[in-house]
Amino acid sequence: MRFFKNFYHALISQSFQDIVKFFIILGLLYWLISTGSERLEYNWQWYRVKQFLFTLDQNGFVPGPLLQGLWVTLKIAFLSLFLTLIFGLITAIFRLSDSFVASLLARVYVESIRNTPLLIQLLFNYFVLSPILGIDAFMTAVLTLSLFEGAYASEIIRAGIQSIDKGQWESAQSTGLNRMQTYFYIIIPQAYKFLIPPITNQSVALIKDSALVSTIAIYDLTMQGQVVISNTFLTFEIWFTVAVIYLSVALFITFVVYVLEMYLHRGVQS
Amino acid sequence: MSYLKPVILSIFILFFIAGSAYSSQVRSQLAQESTLEQVMKRGVMRVGMSTFVPWAMQSKEGEFIGFEIDVATRLAQDMGVNVEFVPTRWSGIIPALLTGKFDIIIGGMGIRPDRNLKVNFSMPYDYSGMSIVAHKQKAKGFTSLDDFNSSDVTIAARLGTTAASAAGDFMPEASLRLFDDEAQAIQELMNGRVHAVVASAPLPAFQAIQHPDRLFVPIEENFTQEPIGFAVRKGDYDIINFLDNWIRFVQAEGWLKQRKHYWFETRDWADQIR
């Protein structure tokens, strides 16, 4: 009798219901995809995909075009993220400064970048500006991306700085620190914990936006995918594979930052 | 055992009747499902295309004009249906056909084995060739394909075209930069970032005429010859049969030749485009 009671409780318990719901949703998704692909009358050839990721033979592990493209994407993303944070920080400080010119400059930069499409900026920078400045396609892509994401990052950083209590500024001033010292010793060390989640979002957005650099013939993950498709016509297989690679990179970043946050917030009472 | 013969015979006859009925059913079903029948039912032929000068261009009024546009319009007219053009990025035009976004590709598509694995082609109604245009300073003194075939040479082309594969085949040493349309590839050449652009004739020659101070044609004749056909979905004999015979019909008329001459050997249409 008691066993049945326990069993009944387990059956109606919240977690068990959640698991059932999860599997129902999973089943629905699977059904949707399988019927959709059947209705397409598309000839799936998944077995041809692996060679474009990597080959394993007597030469050992040789990365295929897609993994080479991923490497380029990661290089672009890493460099751009570094520059994004620098641009964002400088712009945020300009924006909050008492100087009218500096804050106007920051405002014009942020508003003009945020209100124009990234693709147009990329094409404009590549075909119009970069021949004048004499920088190559790769650097043009990195600069365009970091200027674009930097505009968003500056708003995040500004909000983070403004969230610090006014009293902190006053006490810093009374101990004789100047503005820059106050920023670097008092404000930013307190603000950066609040910045981590939105900046993570920005990094993931950066990686996704970097797909656009394929339009200026940089052989990133998206471009390599396009080239493979144009040679093999494995359209859906390759695009799905590319999407999964982007997804895994984004999830990996999110996971790393989650672990980092755990570490930073250790011993802090929420 | 005298009854065995008629029994066996009648079983055979039964099978034969059922079989022929079944096969005629399959045949009529195939005819029903043919793109040809679908287009006639709809009254509209949806044509997948992409802009290629002078195959398909936009006029000042925003209408499509060009050799392929004439061909598609005439084809629809001879079928007694209207034509609807579906502009598609060249790099994605075959998947768009396979997923039924339109009925046929009429866009100067070269008949290639790797494409033929995914789509069916009609017989060729036109032949085109690859040609090359180069930058005067960067490619100074280049006169043959071998000059371009070296590791410090960069070539631009359009993604997913026969030009892109031809550049890879004929100049394997050179590095390749691929763009989504010819305008970007030409811009890259004008900025002196690449040595040359490979594209279907006559575009390279036109570009050299338009920018004589910066560009030149290093090799006069086309370096490939390729057949151009209509592309349709696989497993459809009726439409292929119709297209082939339509091509024979307009060829015999001399109409194809006359259109080809107008778009490729004259520039009478130049004032129609922007």
Side-chain angles (χ1 to χ4, degrees), chain B residues 8-219:
Chain B
I8 289 175
L9 199 66
S10 47
I11 287 172
F12 264 113
I13 288 168
L14 269 178
F15 264 104
F16 179 76
I17 291 169
S20 57
Y22 177 73
S23 69
S24 76
Q25 204 185 352
V26 168
R27 255 207 312 280
S28 72
Q29 198 184 352
L30 275 178
Q32 284 297 313
E33 282 173 5
S34 168
T35 305
L36 195 62
E37 199 60 29
Q38 302 287 339
V39 168
M40 302 298 286
K41 263 192 205 135
R42 213 185 301 122
V44 173
M45 181 174 67
R46 295 168 311 166
V47 176
M49 41 74 77
S50 193
T51 41
F52 273 95
V53 178
W55 280 270
M57 305 165 280
Q58 270 199 304
S59 70
K60 285 174 185 153
E61 292 81 38
E63 298 278 306
F64 285 116
I65 56 164
F67 175 70
E68 296 292 347
I69 306 299
D70 283 0
V71 169
T73 311
R74 172 78 198 265
L75 177 64
Q77 192 190 318
D78 289 349
M79 285 168 85
V81 295
N82 291 326
V83 66
E84 179 194 327
F85 291 105
V86 185
T88 308
R89 279 167 99 170
W90 191 251
S91 49
I93 203 160
I94 286 185
L97 172 74
L98 297 180
T99 50
K101 299 276 183 288
F102 38 77
D103 308 307
I104 182 169
I105 298 173
I106 303 182
M109 183 170 266
I111 299 175
R112 284 205 330 236
D114 59 346
R115 282 179 181 153
N116 214 160
L117 293 171
K118 286 276 180 183
V119 297
N120 282 356
F121 283 107
S122 69
M123 67 182 269
Y125 60 95
D126 179 24
Y127 287 86
S128 85
M130 284 305 145
S131 156
I132 190 165
V133 56
H135 193 270
K136 269 199 166 141
Q137 278 79 45
K138 268 190 94 99
K140 213 180 167 87
F142 285 27
T143 52
S144 72
L145 287 179
D146 289 344
D147 292 340
F148 288 99
N149 189 19
S150 88
S151 55
D152 51 9
V153 170
T154 322
I155 309 275
R158 181 169 174 177
L159 184 69
T161 57
T162 39
S165 34
D169 293 343
F170 286 84
M171 295 157 257
E173 292 296 316
S175 43
L176 200 54
R177 294 183 61 70
L178 298 170
F179 293 93
D180 242 327
D181 58 60
E182 265 102 9
Q184 290 179 340
I186 294 291
Q187 190 54 54
E188 188 83 343
L189 181 66
M190 295 288 289
N191 287 346
R193 282 217 185 90
V194 290
H195 293 72
V197 166
V198 174
S200 290
L203 182 122
F206 285 171
Q207 291 299 331
I209 292 165
Q210 270 177 5
H211 311 285
D213 52 328
R214 275 198 228 180
L215 309 181
F216 76 108
V217 176
I219 302 152

Side-chain angles (χ1 to χ4, degrees), chain A residues 200 204 249-259:
Chain A
T200 310
V204 171
V249 171
L251 286 177
F252 178 73
I253 290 173
T254 315
F255 172 73
V256 166
V257 171
Y258 171 77
V259 171

Side-chain angles (χ1 to χ4, degrees), chain A residues 88-162:
Chain A
L89 187 63
I90 292 172
T91 312
I93 289 174
F94 267 37
R95 195 55 210 271
L96 293 166
S97 83
D98 298 333
S99 150
F100 173 72
V101 177
S103 72
L104 183 77
L105 265 178
R107 281 196 86 128
V108 167
Y109 157 65
V110 169
E111 294 308 325
S112 62
I113 293 274
R114 283 205 314 181
N115 294 306
T116 49
L118 176 57
L119 180 61
I120 309 294
Q121 289 173 30
L122 191 64
L123 292 174
F124 178 82
N125 289 351
Y126 183 63
F127 287 113
V128 182
L129 289 186
S130 81
I132 304 168
L133 302 172
I135 44 179
D136 67 349
F138 184 84
M139 272 331 284
T140 309
V142 168
L143 276 173
T144 307
L145 275 171
S146 16
L147 283 170
F148 181 81
E149 307 292 343
Y152 288 88
S154 80
E155 291 295 285
I156 295 169
I157 293 170
R158 186 170 66 102
I161 288 171
Q162 284 179 324

